[in-house]
Amino acid sequence: FLAGASFPLQVRVFTRGPRALLKDDEFYFYALVCGGGALAVAALLSGGVPSIESLRMGAFQSSSLISSTGFANTDYDQWSLATKMVLVGVMVVGGCAGSAAGGPKAIRHLLAGRHIIREIRQVIHPRAVLPVVYGGRGLPDQAMRAVFTLVLLYAGSYFLFGAILVAGGMTPLDGFSAALACLSNIGPGFGVVGPMMSFGTLPVWMKVLLTF
């Protein structure tokens, strides 16, 4: 979990005290996704009220995948489809900017979400001045364009490579999870590239594509 959090933020916490956490929106979002994913997995595994064991597995797997650490303490490929979809959501978000995690980073998802909300509010109030605010400052349109460009490139690459793998014979879950695992540098995906499996069983052309 700490490896997926911002290293500069952690330095500020150790030098200036824990109040630095209260001023960082990205860390809140990262912790919310990671914690929410852990609770959702635990609830789905236990069929209702989470048990200690399901909480342990949910917390470990959620923090491992969101930080692109890639460890597994169980064969989560045997879990239900709903549980796998929760893990996919955690994998898509990724860790914080300035961390050891892969993925498009939590801050870009956060800013993209705020931009969409701003656009909806702008339709309702056309004359209002509604900047996208982060860290108490309004962000310029150029910065938001850069955020959206990267998020769209990431999503487009994910769907493109996933579709090619599915067309090549992989199941949709296996193909798209393999593309996501390699784009975000996570490691394991699901199915033939799950935590107890290996990319070594894939055809050579798929290995080359995923390496790229």
Side-chain angles (χ1 to χ4, degrees):
F1 179 79
L2 290 177
S6 168
F7 291 159
L9 175 63
Q10 294 182 55
V11 171
R12 290 199 300 272
V13 169
F14 282 112
T15 57
R16 304 178 188 176
R19 292 183 62 184
L21 288 176
L22 303 178
K23 301 178 181 180
D24 194 89
D25 295 343
E26 184 188 26
F27 179 78
Y28 274 128
F29 180 65
Y30 168 71
L32 180 65
V33 172
C34 186
L39 289 175
V41 167
L44 288 167
L45 289 177
S46 58
V49 179
S51 63
I52 297 298
E53 181 65 11
S54 65
L55 282 171
R56 182 182 69 83
M57 289 192 292
F60 183 93
Q61 218 51 72
S62 180
S63 59
S64 175
L65 294 179
I66 197 171
S67 63
S68 71
T69 304
F71 291 141
N73 63 346
T74 185
D75 187 6
Y76 59 75
D77 201 41
Q78 301 301 317
W79 294 352
S80 67
L81 181 60
T83 308
K84 293 177 183 178
M85 291 301 100
V86 173
L87 294 180
V88 168
V90 168
M91 293 163 69
V92 167
V93 171
C96 300
S99 73
K105 301 297 186 292
I107 188 172
R108 294 190 176 95
H109 289 286
L110 177 63
L111 293 178
R114 287 184 176 179
H115 178 77
I116 292 172
I117 293 173
R118 192 275 298 269
E119 291 301 307
I120 294 174
R121 293 177 62 197
Q122 195 77 63
V123 171
I124 300 173
H125 306 287
R127 297 186 178 181
V129 178
L130 303 170
V132 177
V133 178
Y134 181 80
R137 298 183 300 172
L139 297 179
D141 290 340
Q142 183 179 3
M144 289 309 306
R145 281 196 298 271
V147 168
F148 258 92
T149 298
L150 190 140
V151 170
L152 288 175
L153 284 173
Y154 178 86
S157 300
Y158 165 56
F159 283 110
L160 173 62
F161 293 132
I164 293 174
L165 293 172
V166 172
M170 296 182 74
T171 67
L173 183 59
D174 293 7
F176 284 104
S177 70
L180 178 59
C182 290
L183 276 171
S184 297
N185 199 32
I186 294 169
F190 298 101
V192 295
V193 293
M196 304 302 166
M197 301 296 286
S198 168
F199 284 81
T201 60
L202 299 180
V204 173
W205 72 267
M206 287 187 179
K207 294 176 186 176
V208 173
L209 180 70
L210 290 170
T211 300
F212 174 78

